[in-house]
Amino acid sequence: MMLDSDLIAALRNARHIAVLTGAGVSAESGVPTFRDALTGLWAKYDPMQLATPEAFARDPETVSRWYDERRLNALRRTPNPAHLALARWQRHMIERARTFTLITQNVDRLHQAAGSTDVIEVHGSLIDWRCTRTGRIIECRGPAFPQHPMPSGHGGVLRPNVVWFGEALPEDAASAAQHASGFCDVFISIGTSALVYPAAGFIHFAKSSGAVTVEINRDPTPATEIVDHSMLGLAGEIVPALVEAWEQA
Ligand code: OAD
């Protein structure tokens, strides 16, 4: 794979790298994306019937069951070479006293399973569920819930601790992602359609803050024309090659 020499030079000199990932990074692990024409979740389901607070209020059983099925699928999946390469890159950047910030829209916790640390989950996680009354968060790595929705044991029921349409990003995650995007020397968007804000806005903010911007994605996106380097292809192939080129630079 031919990699742009300017890109390798920018990566070699970068003291702070920020990465934003989307569902395309987990696709090769068997986690469905959202907008792929045939296999995407939103090609089969109506997000307004499943991924909003109103949907949960209207039909908590259906919403709870659907997210529990996605939770169980995520728990069965393993990190792919893209996840593993990003975790290795972070370790090596830390060894060189540099920073590597991983921001993800994904809710499957595969980055953490690959060894990435301090992952900024701007859309929450399928593995964590929270009590609707107390807000208490419970990590759920067990079998399918026996009941939908599940009583929380604290006077409410459990909802997935993910960001639904119409909800704000978790404040700490949003500010950490914004800071990393504005502070980094190189910002790399991987496996996202760059359609959902505010997450997609981090690409534009990084660019306006002076970072060298990179997109790695199977298909072009609205961000493709604004980034400095666009690499079309599979994350599981491109990301390991990029990390290897950085290590040898
Ligand atoms: P999408 O499904 O919108 O986009 C996935 C992107 O990954 C597409 O642009 C594909 O071309 C690309 N892709 C697919 N397989 C790939 C692969 N193996 N290697 C590289 N790229 C690949 O998913 P997201 O952009 O993550 O939010 O969606 C953003 C948000 O919209 C999600 O976090 C979720 C969704 O609605 C909420 O529900 C709030």
Side-chain angles (χ1 to χ4, degrees):
M1 178 178 302
M2 278 304 290
L3 295 173
D4 182 309
S5 56
D6 290 346
L7 171 57
I8 298 305
L11 291 173
R12 181 179 57 241
N13 299 326
R15 305 203 60 73
H16 309 288
I17 294 176
V19 173
L20 170 69
T21 63
V25 161
S26 294
E28 291 160 84
S29 293
V31 178
T33 64
F34 293 93
R35 294 171 179 84
D36 277 343
L38 296 176
T39 57
L41 290 174
W42 300 152
K44 293 188 262 185
Y45 302 99
D46 176 357
M48 294 305 114
Q49 300 306 316
L50 291 164
T52 68
E54 295 76 15
F56 187 66
R58 187 172 53 245
D59 187 353
E61 180 183 353
T62 300
V63 173
S64 174
R65 192 179 302 281
W66 189 67
Y67 276 92
D68 194 28
E69 284 166 14
R70 287 181 60 200
R71 174 181 72 89
L72 295 168
N73 179 56
L75 289 172
R76 284 193 294 269
R77 303 302 170 178
T78 54
N80 67 57
H83 294 111
L84 296 168
L86 289 170
R88 188 169 75 247
W89 201 356
Q90 180 184 39
R91 281 195 303 275
H92 292 176
M93 280 287 282
I94 293 169
E95 285 163 7
R96 300 184 188 185
R98 301 182 181 190
T99 68
F100 183 97
T101 306
L102 181 53
I103 306 159
T104 189
Q105 300 172 90
N106 298 340
V107 293
D108 54 36
R109 286 264 160 93
L110 286 177
H111 283 304
Q112 292 92 331
S116 289
T117 57
D118 301 314
V119 178
I120 301 174
E121 295 179 317
V122 291
H123 288 166
S125 166
L126 280 173
I127 312 304
D128 290 343
W129 288 57
R130 74 170 186 261
C131 172
T132 52
R133 192 179 75 81
T134 64
R136 186 168 174 269
I137 290 175
I138 301 168
E139 190 179 39
C140 302
R141 292 186 171 277
F145 294 157
Q147 192 179 343
H148 293 284
M150 277 288 282
S152 68
H154 297 270
V157 295
L158 292 180
R159 60 155 281 181
N161 193 38
V162 300
V163 175
W164 278 330
F165 288 107
E167 292 185 323
L169 302 189
E171 205 171 305
D172 53 343
S175 55
Q178 182 84 350
H179 173 75
S181 305
F183 184 68
C184 65
D185 305 305
V186 178
F187 184 97
I188 309 173
S189 172
I190 310 175
T192 180
S193 57
L195 290 170
V196 175
Y197 285 77
F202 296 133
I203 306 167
H204 304 272
F205 183 60
K207 185 169 182 66
S208 64
S209 304
V212 170
T213 49
V214 187
E215 180 181 56
I216 298 169
N217 205 56
R218 189 194 60 207
D219 305 304
T221 76
T224 304
E225 59 215 29
I226 67 126
V227 296
D228 300 303
H229 302 276
S230 165
M231 303 169 79
L232 290 180
L234 299 183
E237 293 170 7
I238 296 176
V239 177
L242 195 64
V243 177
E244 193 176 336
W246 172 81
E247 285 167 336
Q248 290 169 8

